[in-house]
Amino acid sequence: MIPVGNSKYILRVNKRKVLNLIYNSKTISRAEVTKISGISAPTVSRIVDGFIDERLVEEVGIGQSTGGRRPKLLRIAASDNYIIGIDLGTTNIYGVLADLNASIIHEEKQPTRLEEGFYSIMEQTSEIIEKLSRQTAERKKRLCGIGMAVAGLINKSRNIVEFSPNFHWHDVDIVGNLSQKFSVPIYFDNVTRVMALGELCYGVGKQYKNFVFINVGYGIGAGIILDGQPLLGSVGMAGEFGHITVEKDSQTQCDCGNFGCLEALASGQGIARAARDELKKGTQSVLMEMCGGDLNKVTAEMVANAAKKGDALAWNVFSRAAEYIGLGISALINLFNPEAVVMGGGVIQAGEILFDNIRKTINARALNRSSRGVPLLPATFGLKAAAMGAVSLVMNKLLNLELECFLQKQKS
Ligand SMILES: [Zn+2]
């Protein structure tokens, strides 16, 4: 006889298998689920009926008959269930409302009140969540959860942001704060790992199970996916790619306090700072005109535009940053042997000028032909990568049955 605990466990494994099969097929019949999963037909039927009752799966249309009655097809009840994804950035707080197929239903954005500190930013985030929740209620849909992408070191075991140099936060409890207002499950993780997870669920992950996601924006980070799973590290801090030292004797200090970090030299703020330093030395550049003589107004975007126009100063600043990023990526390729490197974040919008220079450095540094051949791809969702990744954070929990209790309570 199978012990009770064991049979519960087997049922859970089977339920997960069935739900993932349905999710990964556009439509599928009960007979096909039975055949592919190897689970008995009565058990499949019982599990499917449970999911239909929970409003996670729905029956649609009529499939091909293999003799006898033509079967109804199953699919995930994507348009009945919504997820909120929040990209908690230092420049903007951007929120999306998406269905279970990752189609965006509604978006909200506010410039981050960075200087006002944690509680004010949490209030802004709440406002965005409230607006998106209202949209959900008006459309009579169910909200399954809220996912958030945050820049910083996340301590998974304490469920807090332990340190965020960009926000200047130490030990802040985002979930504790927001769950006072919202009763749906809330999940968060480091922005780059969240972006990598989004790619795994909805983007390049359909092709690759081993890839590295590099985020170059205000800061720099890496999300490492190995065998289809994000690499967390012992407490969830793996992937702090921006804080590897790439220039040992550098005078440029990073937000983390060290000198010569990749992030200090090649992130959006690093690029703007390098251009400013060159301008201060009196180097001629169209940037002077573009910023109206106010060096504080120089941004990475401005430098990219000047470089595209053929400005020598801007071009040099950009190719140096690309070289540093390429150095870092070569190290990651040599360490993890990925099938692809995916690049996201604001700075990546500079396009070919950055990609070409990074590629050149990788080709010069990578160990062998297969490393040199690793595809360098832009992020699937462009500037929406973090918000869509945040959506996938909840989707992942849902497919893993971690939202079961909550969804059962919210059936109607
Ligand atoms: Zn650093």
Side-chain angles (χ1 to χ4, degrees):
M1 205 181 90
I2 302 168
V4 178
N6 208 351
S7 68
K8 261 191 183 164
Y9 171 77
I10 292 168
L11 176 65
R12 213 175 156 71
V13 171
N14 286 342
K15 282 176 86 173
R16 216 157 31 202
K17 217 189 254 182
V18 170
L19 188 61
N20 280 273
L21 250 175
I22 297 172
Y23 179 70
N24 290 321
S25 330
K26 245 179 123 185
T27 53
I28 191 166
S29 68
R30 288 177 196 235
E32 283 169 307
V33 173
T34 306
K35 201 171 141 197
I36 299 170
S37 67
I39 304 165
S40 76
T43 308
V44 165
S45 247
R46 208 165 353 112
I47 291 175
V48 166
D49 288 342
F51 285 139
I52 292 174
D53 187 47
E54 272 176 44
R55 286 171 57 211
L56 264 186
V57 168
E58 58 192 8
E59 284 184 311
V60 281
I62 304 286
Q64 290 285 326
S65 170
T66 49
R69 206 152 45 93
R70 291 169 74 192
K72 277 189 182 159
L73 294 175
L74 305 167
R75 72 171 179 203
I76 212 86
S79 57
D80 281 348
N81 295 286
Y82 286 177
I83 293 171
I84 289 177
I86 303 281
D87 170 9
L88 191 54
T90 41
T91 314
N92 289 302
I93 304 174
Y94 170 59
V96 299
L97 186 64
D99 68 15
L100 299 190
N101 283 334
S103 300
I104 297 178
I105 310 297
H106 191 83
E107 302 168 66
E108 290 286 340
K109 190 159 127 181
Q110 284 188 21
T112 313
R113 299 193 293 252
L114 190 61
E115 60 298 329
E116 290 181 24
F118 178 69
Y119 292 103
S120 175
I121 291 173
M122 283 302 101
E123 242 164 56
Q124 267 192 295
T125 309
S126 298
E127 278 168 33
I128 289 179
I129 295 173
E130 262 158 30
K131 282 184 185 162
L132 295 171
S133 304
R134 223 173 293 142
Q135 291 288 330
T136 312
E138 276 171 21
R139 290 174 161 84
K140 299 194 168 47
K141 308 293 181 181
R142 175 172 62 180
L143 188 60
C144 298
I146 301 166
M148 297 181 67
V150 188
L153 290 171
I154 312 294
N155 189 319
K156 283 272 180 193
S157 49
R158 295 169 64 204
N159 209 30
I160 56 159
V161 180
E162 197 165 286
F163 176 46
S164 176
N166 304 143
F167 281 103
H168 304 290
W169 288 344
H170 288 272
D171 293 345
V172 298
D173 183 1
I174 291 179
V175 175
N177 189 286
L178 293 176
S179 54
Q180 290 169 7
K181 284 193 190 136
F182 305 101
S183 55
V184 292
I186 303 171
Y187 302 97
F188 74 108
D189 203 348
N190 170 273
V191 60
T192 310
R193 197 158 46 220
V194 166
M195 286 172 158
L197 196 65
E199 287 291 341
L200 183 69
C201 283
Y202 307 124
V204 299
K206 290 190 176 76
Q207 262 177 287
Y208 307 117
K209 290 293 167 246
N210 292 282
F211 65 88
V212 174
F213 187 98
I214 313 287
N215 178 24
V216 186
Y218 188 86
I220 294 181
I224 298 151
I225 305 286
L226 299 176
D227 292 329
Q229 292 295 327
L231 178 74
L232 299 176
S234 61
V235 290
M237 294 186 185
E240 285 304 321
F241 180 51
H243 302 286
I244 59 169
T245 307
V246 286
E247 209 182 274
K248 159 172 95 59
D249 301 318
S250 174
Q251 302 296 309
T252 309
Q253 191 171 23
C254 182
D255 278 348
C256 76
N258 288 333
F259 289 84
C261 288
L262 176 62
E263 178 166 310
L265 298 167
S267 64
Q269 43 167 345
I271 288 168
R273 179 165 44 198
R276 240 176 265 138
D277 289 349
E278 282 301 318
L279 289 169
K280 277 182 203 156
K281 285 185 205 158
T283 313
Q284 291 301 308
S285 163
V286 292
L287 277 172
M288 213 52 177
E289 206 178 299
M290 289 167 91
C291 71
D294 182 357
L295 294 190
N296 290 325
K297 290 200 173 126
V298 174
T299 61
E301 199 183 353
M302 220 181 257
V303 182
N305 289 334
K308 280 178 198 160
K309 284 182 193 158
D311 183 77
L313 182 155
W315 178 265
N316 287 339
V317 165
F318 237 93
S319 36
R320 206 178 314 140
E323 196 182 338
Y324 286 127
I325 297 169
L327 270 177
I329 294 179
S330 308
L332 291 178
I333 291 177
N334 288 337
L335 276 174
F336 295 108
N337 183 216
E339 295 162 83
V341 174
V342 188
M343 312 231 2
V347 174
I348 301 305
Q349 305 304 313
E352 266 148 45
I353 164 179
L354 192 73
F355 275 72
D356 288 351
N357 280 301
I358 292 174
R359 181 88 261 168
K360 243 187 262 168
T361 310
I362 294 175
N363 288 348
R365 302 264 167 182
L367 280 182
N368 51 45
R369 204 185 313 145
S370 78
S371 305
R372 284 193 286 273
V374 175
L376 198 58
L377 311 168
T380 308
F381 294 104
L383 291 174
K384 293 178 180 171
M388 292 315 291
V391 169
S392 75
L393 205 53
V394 179
M395 193 63 218
N396 225 30
K397 301 281 178 192
L398 190 140
L399 291 175
N400 223 3
L401 304 180
E402 288 173 54
L403 300 181
E404 212 174 23
C405 291
F406 173 74
L407 294 180
Q408 275 169 0
K409 274 189 250 154
Q410 310 269 317
K411 271 195 288 196
S412 52

